[in-house]
Amino acid sequence: MRIAIINGPNLNLLGKRETDIYGNMPFEKYLQELRVLFPAVDFHYYQSNVEGELINELQKVGYDYDGIVLNAAGYTHTSVAIGDAVAAIKAPVVEVHISNVHSREDFRKLSHVSGKSAGSIFGLGLKGYEFAIRWLVDRA
Ligand code: DQA
């Protein structure tokens, strides 16, 4: 099965960005662990700091892939257009946030993605991606 992981702005800085909140591991390194954990999954990884590029990628994979794990990062809280893209596509989307967005600033409590997603995971660190993939694998 094919699963796309799409990460939004500043997640290319994982491992060196606010490590007290986001941890010390670069995402590419964590992706190697995911590939070992899920050998039967064909992973496609995409990261962009640009809102429109994230929408283009959602549209690109959203009709062919078996599932999408989306961390839209800061755009989660601002982007109606990313929420619309999630609603438009056919593949189930699991929203993931590394940090607990509900225990931080109030503006992080709003998500334009949650209501359009199959489910959401937040506050469990990078493990949230693993749990999201496990759910997508089990439902296939
Ligand atoms: C984040 C939470 C967002 O509020 C923040 O803007 C991010 C990362 C997370 O994974 O915890 O960039 O999506």
Side-chain angles (χ1 to χ4, degrees):
M1 72 181 292
R2 292 194 297 173
I3 292 179
I5 300 174
I6 300 180
N7 274 343
N10 303 305
L11 292 172
N12 54 316
L13 298 178
L14 283 181
K16 50 187 173 191
R17 166 198 187 198
E18 296 177 282
T19 52
D20 50 322
I21 299 174
Y22 298 114
N24 292 302
M25 194 179 292
F27 196 82
E28 283 74 8
K29 192 152 177 253
Y30 181 64
L31 188 56
Q32 288 171 18
E33 290 184 16
L34 291 175
R35 290 189 201 280
V36 172
L37 280 173
F38 300 97
V41 174
D42 182 5
F43 284 107
H44 168 68
Y45 177 57
Y46 182 82
Q47 189 277 330
S48 175
N49 296 320
V50 180
E51 183 177 13
E53 288 181 358
L54 292 165
I55 294 166
N56 284 343
E57 193 64 17
L58 284 165
Q59 292 184 7
K60 193 163 114 193
V61 298
Y63 292 90
D64 298 329
Y65 274 62
D66 302 296
I68 297 171
V69 180
L70 174 64
N71 184 347
Y75 286 136
T76 305
H77 318 299
T78 62
S79 178
V80 171
I82 289 180
D84 283 349
V86 172
I89 60 181
K90 291 280 172 267
V93 172
V94 181
E95 176 189 26
V96 169
H97 298 286
I98 297 163
S99 64
N100 184 343
V101 285
H102 290 278
S103 68
R104 300 177 66 190
E105 301 95 328
D106 277 350
F107 67 82
R108 294 186 204 275
K109 291 179 181 155
L110 169 67
S111 169
H112 291 284
V113 173
S114 295
K116 313 287 169 51
S117 299
S120 303
I121 299 171
F122 49 85
L124 304 183
L126 287 173
K127 271 258 172 199
Y129 290 85
E130 177 188 332
F131 298 145
I133 293 158
R134 169 59 60 203
W135 184 82
L136 288 166
V137 168
D138 286 353
R139 75 177 284 287

